[in-house]
Amino acid sequence: MFSFIRTGCRAILEVLFPRCCMACGCKLQEEEQVVCADCVATLPRTEHTLLEQNGVDMLFQQLFKDEKCRVRYERGMAFAYYNRGRGKNLRALIERGKFGNHPHPQVFYMLGRLAAQEYIDVDLWDDIDVIVPVPLHPKRLRARGFNQAEWIGRGLSDVLHIPMDTEHLVRTRNNPHQSRSRFEKRKDNVQDVFSVRYPEEWKNKHLLLVDDVITSGSTMLACMKQTTPIRGCRISVFALGWAHN
Ligand SMILES: [Zn+2]
């Protein structure tokens, strides 16, 4: 009886408020969550894991050289192109998920899970001890209500069964909105923005640093720099979007 009423209510709600794909706006099928199957299938994967050294690795190696810093970097990947062709879908998803009328953390969780499921067998995750999302400043966290990197991390963590750590890496300064900053200015904006609490906890640990998009790489670099004094601490990186061609 109750399940009959529940099904009826759900059907009425579906008619009044149809669930729509966050990328293309089409009506979602019952089994689809947040994004339609077609949009999921057409996200332009970078296939970074097939390359000996991919764009993410090269970007960070160059930044370490430019900034003369000694990060114990292992490897990295981004899941899909952020700007290219149908990659606009990924951009739309990330922007609507973060800034839309109804910001939606579930989209980040879903994409984190998807990436982990698709690449479950690659060595990117090998011997990772802990997933560390790039933190938001508490002020911005309060304004948005969630940290998208944390939800991506949660999706990865649930599939890969690797714990997530949101306690040790903290953002101590709230920098201006990055997407509105110019590239060079952005670089300065993130210097000394992060710090690590109880760094000894990360001794000899291999961290997977997670963010939504890699553009200049300066945000992740600023996080990584904080780990250089920690003995034996190694870093790999993962992002959903790769804003380079
Ligand atoms: Zn769609």
Side-chain angles (χ1 to χ4, degrees), residues 14 33 63 108 123 158 199:
E14 272 289 300
Q33 300 286 332
L63 289 173
F108 297 102
D123 64 1
D158 283 357

Side-chain angles (χ1 to χ4, degrees), residues 116-129:
Q117 280 160 346
E118 277 189 25
Y119 292 97
I120 197 149
D121 293 327
V122 303
D123 64 1
L124 177 70
W125 330 108
D126 286 357
D127 78 1
I128 299 275
D129 295 299

Side-chain angles (χ1 to χ4, degrees), residues 49 75-79 111-131 152-153 155-157 159-162 206-210 236-239:
T49 56
R75 51 194 175 258
M77 83 166 279
F79 176 59
L111 290 168
R113 279 190 70 95
L114 176 76
Q117 280 160 346
E118 277 189 25
Y119 292 97
I120 197 149
D121 293 327
V122 303
D123 64 1
L124 177 70
W125 330 108
D126 286 357
D127 78 1
I128 299 275
D129 295 299
V130 68
I131 293 169
I152 297 164
L156 296 172
S157 172
V159 174
L160 302 165
H161 307 295
I162 300 171
H206 184 182
L207 318 180
L208 181 71
L209 191 62
V210 173
S236 290
V237 305
F238 172 83

Side-chain angles (χ1 to χ4, degrees), residues 21 24 26 36 39:
C21 167
C24 72
C26 79
C36 74
C39 283

